[in-house]
């Protein structure tokens, strides 16, 4: 059984069963699925059945149709768990009710007796072992829990490698089933690619991309919510610093069904991999703002390069910077007190000027005097009160430089 569930919009939780061969979605009264919202066009998109699934076709809507954060151009074949967005306000989840999976637990990894045989209820938690909020604990209480960058998720993780809708947990009896939501950088369970739903077991480690790790922990329901000093949470996996240093430029990725080791976000190193990218030049003290900028560029469908995940002055860093200078088509220069004094930033924008490539300064902090070579460039002023608006202005400026 296929259906859409509204996760964000005028009627959260509304379920739309999908049965017809063609189903239109829009604001107008002639649609099969009517959504009264100003972000939704009168005829916004169409679902077309293809044997046992649907594809979505955008109907030249004003605010766009997106699947898992990517704008739909032409048609897009939906997979169970796909997140459909109509403009900025409406989020729909495409689901296939897999009743057989729930009725036949023999497909699960666990060989322990069914949790329902126990009279002791369990509490379930995720704790971040690696990422932007190390040590933070998330209690799992809902039937469905989602994790990703978008603010509509139950667990919001602000990291450039995390997709807008990255991961989903579903509760079945006293267990949680974990599945990837078509994320860009992948989900791994105990270092193995998560290709299909899996039942979680106590102490399992979930890796999102290469920079975020969550550990799943269960406790008897009679116990109070754990704090940082409990024995159960003392066993959380801590990242091996030596191993991370050795693998600083590498991650695992699935390509055509094969597990490959590739350069991770921002590193380059594969010839030609930074073509049509945007070089972001910045001081690392400004990374928090740059990370938000990077997410905004990704959401707009733009590819950007940063050196955040490389050790400055290392051989890999030098090679990647050299590659980025030659392959990236445009530079966003984040101007601040730190960046104007940073010799790495100075060398980067000088390299772009010498090649006569476009540079768009983003004035993050007011500077009394810009270097003469930057004063003639058209700059975007960053407004701390409305950062999103500032990023939109920057993106518009970038679009003007498209070749």
């Amino acid at each position: 059984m296929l259906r859409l569930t509204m996760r964000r919009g005028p009627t959260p939780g509304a379920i739309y069963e999908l049965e017809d061969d063609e189903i239109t979605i829009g604001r107008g009264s002639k649609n099969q699925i009517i959504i009264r919202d100003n972000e939704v066009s009168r005829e916004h998109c169409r679902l077309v059945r293809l044997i046992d699934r649907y594809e979505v076709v955008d109907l030249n809507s004003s605010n766009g149709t997106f699947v898992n954060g990517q704008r739909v151009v032409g048609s897009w074949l939906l997979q169970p768990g796909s997140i459909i967005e109509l403009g900025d306000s409406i989020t729909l989840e495409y689901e296939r009710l897999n009743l057989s999976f729930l009725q036949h637990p023999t497909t699960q990894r666990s060989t322990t007796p069914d949790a329902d045989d126990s009279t002791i209820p369990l509490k379930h938690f995720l704790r971040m072992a690696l990422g932007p909020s190390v040590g933070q604990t998330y209690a799992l209480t809902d039937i469905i829990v989602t994790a990703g960058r978008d603010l509509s998720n139950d667990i919001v993780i602000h990291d450039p490698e995390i997709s807008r809708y990255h991961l989903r947990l579903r509760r079945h009896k006293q267990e949680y089933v974990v599945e990837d939501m078509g994320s860009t950088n992948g989900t791994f369970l105990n270092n193995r690619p998560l290709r299909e739903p899996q039942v979680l077991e106590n102490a399992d480690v979930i890796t999102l991309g290469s920079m975020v790790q969550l550990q799943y922990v269960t406790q008897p329901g009679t116990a109070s919510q754990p704090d940082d000093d409990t024995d159960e949470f003392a066993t959380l996996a801590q990242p091996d610093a030596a191993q991370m240093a050795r693998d600083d430029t590498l991650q695992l990725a699935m390509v055509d069904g094969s597990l490959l080791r590739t350069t991770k976000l921002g590193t380059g190193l594969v010839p030609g991999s930074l073509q049509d990218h945007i070089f972001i030049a910045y001081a690392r003290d400004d990374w928090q703002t740059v990370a938000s900028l990077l997410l905004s560029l990704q959401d707009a469908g733009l590819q950007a390069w940063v050196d955040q995940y490389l050790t400055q002055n290392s051989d890999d860093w030098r090679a990647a910077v050299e590659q980025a200078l030659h392959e990236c088509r445009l530079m966003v220069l984040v101007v601040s007190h730190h960046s104007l004094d940073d010799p790495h930033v100075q060398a980067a924008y000088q390299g772009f000027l010498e090649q006569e490539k476009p540079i768009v300064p983003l004035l993050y902090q007011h500077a009394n005097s810009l270097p003469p070579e930057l004063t003639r460039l058209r700059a975007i002023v960053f407004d701390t009160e409305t950062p999103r608006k500032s990023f939109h202005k920057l993106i518009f400026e970038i679009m003007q430089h498209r070749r």
Side-chain angles (χ1 to χ4, degrees):
M1 177 183 296
L2 296 168
R3 68 183 190 180
L4 292 178
T5 301
M6 183 175 289
R7 298 302 179 195
R8 183 174 59 173
T11 54
I15 295 175
Y16 307 95
E17 304 292 350
L18 306 180
E19 298 177 350
D20 296 340
D21 290 337
E22 288 195 6
I23 302 168
T24 58
I25 303 174
R27 197 175 68 245
S29 58
K30 295 183 179 180
N31 294 283
Q32 285 88 348
I33 297 178
I34 301 172
I35 302 177
R36 307 289 190 187
D37 188 278
N38 291 334
E39 286 280 316
V40 179
S41 296
R42 184 173 297 276
E43 293 183 348
H44 198 104
C45 64
R46 178 188 295 117
L47 299 179
V48 180
R49 183 189 292 276
L50 297 176
I51 307 177
D52 63 342
R53 60 186 62 189
Y54 283 88
E55 67 176 7
V56 61
V57 180
D58 184 74
L59 300 177
N60 296 318
S61 60
S62 299
N63 296 306
T65 302
F66 302 82
V67 176
N68 299 331
Q70 301 296 314
R71 187 159 193 154
V72 174
V73 178
S75 62
W76 189 297
L77 186 62
L78 297 172
Q79 304 291 337
S82 293
I83 296 296
I84 304 170
E85 295 174 279
L86 312 181
D88 291 329
S89 302
I90 309 299
T91 300
L92 302 166
E93 183 177 4
Y94 174 76
E95 298 180 292
R96 181 191 299 276
L97 296 185
N98 191 354
L99 300 178
S100 61
F101 175 77
L102 298 180
Q103 293 168 356
H104 300 285
T106 56
T107 61
Q108 301 172 2
R109 289 186 302 122
S110 177
T111 58
T112 58
D114 194 303
D116 273 7
D117 293 340
S118 173
T119 59
I120 302 177
L122 294 176
K123 287 188 176 183
H124 308 261
F125 304 90
L126 287 178
R127 192 182 190 193
M128 187 172 289
L130 178 66
S133 304
V134 173
Q136 183 166 348
T137 301
Y138 307 92
L140 306 178
T141 57
D142 294 336
I143 294 177
I144 295 178
V145 179
T146 62
R149 286 196 286 108
D150 193 273
L151 296 178
S152 63
N153 288 284
D154 303 292
I155 299 175
V156 179
I157 304 174
H158 293 294
D159 186 275
E161 286 200 13
I162 303 301
S163 295
R164 297 179 70 183
Y165 300 94
H166 199 111
L167 177 75
R168 175 171 47 215
L169 301 170
R170 293 176 183 268
R171 189 173 67 213
H172 172 52
K173 298 181 180 179
Q174 286 210 69
E175 298 172 314
Y176 270 95
V177 177
V178 61
E179 56 185 313
D180 184 80
M181 298 175 71
S183 64
T184 300
N185 292 308
T187 302
F188 304 84
L189 180 61
N190 299 325
N191 295 321
R192 294 181 179 274
L194 187 62
R195 300 192 183 108
E196 59 186 20
Q198 293 280 0
V199 175
L200 288 173
E201 297 180 355
N202 188 41
D204 275 349
V205 176
I206 305 169
T207 304
L208 288 67
S210 63
M211 299 300 291
V212 175
Q213 282 188 349
L214 302 169
Q215 184 162 22
Y216 174 72
V217 178
T218 61
Q219 286 190 321
T222 54
S224 59
Q225 180 169 334
D227 53 37
D228 290 343
D229 295 325
T230 57
D231 291 339
E232 290 82 358
F233 281 79
T235 63
L236 287 175
Q238 298 298 321
D240 184 333
Q243 181 64 33
M244 288 186 67
R246 287 193 296 272
D247 293 344
D248 188 53
T249 65
L250 298 174
Q251 70 172 16
L252 295 175
M254 292 302 300
V255 178
D256 296 331
S258 300
L259 186 63
L260 302 178
R261 296 184 68 80
T262 64
T263 57
K264 70 185 179 184
L265 175 70
T267 58
L269 301 181
V270 176
S273 64
L274 301 181
Q275 295 287 347
D276 201 38
H277 278 57
I278 296 165
F279 190 126
I280 303 181
Y282 63 99
R284 294 203 173 185
D285 288 336
D286 301 326
W287 172 244
Q288 185 172 356
T289 297
V290 173
S292 298
L293 165 62
L294 184 56
L295 300 182
S296 295
L297 293 175
Q298 290 176 345
D299 289 344
L302 298 171
Q303 296 178 299
W305 182 86
V306 294
D307 72 346
Q308 189 70 21
Y309 303 105
L310 289 167
T311 302
Q312 286 186 328
N313 297 317
S314 67
D315 291 341
D316 281 348
W317 177 84
R318 292 189 183 93
V321 170
E322 188 70 19
Q323 178 184 345
L325 288 172
H326 284 89
E327 294 185 2
C328 291
R329 65 178 180 86
L330 178 145
M331 173 180 287
V332 171
L333 173 59
V334 180
V335 177
S336 71
H337 304 306
H338 299 296
S339 65
L340 291 179
D341 293 334
D342 190 321
H344 300 312
V345 175
Q346 295 170 9
Y349 74 70
Q350 289 289 351
F352 254 61
L353 289 173
E354 291 172 3
Q355 298 178 74
E356 298 183 348
K357 290 184 178 182
I359 299 176
V360 180
L362 178 65
L363 303 183
Y364 172 54
Q365 292 176 341
H366 177 72
N368 293 328
S369 60
L370 288 174
E373 60 268 27
L374 300 180
T375 56
R376 66 178 184 273
L377 301 177
R378 179 180 171 86
I380 303 297
V381 178
F382 181 81
D383 186 351
T384 57
E385 298 296 325
T386 57
R388 185 173 181 180
K389 185 176 181 180
S390 302
F391 292 151
H392 284 175
K393 289 182 179 179
L394 176 64
I395 290 168
F396 179 80
E397 185 68 21
I398 291 171
M399 294 299 187
Q400 305 309 303
H401 287 279
R402 275 203 177 276
R403 291 181 291 194

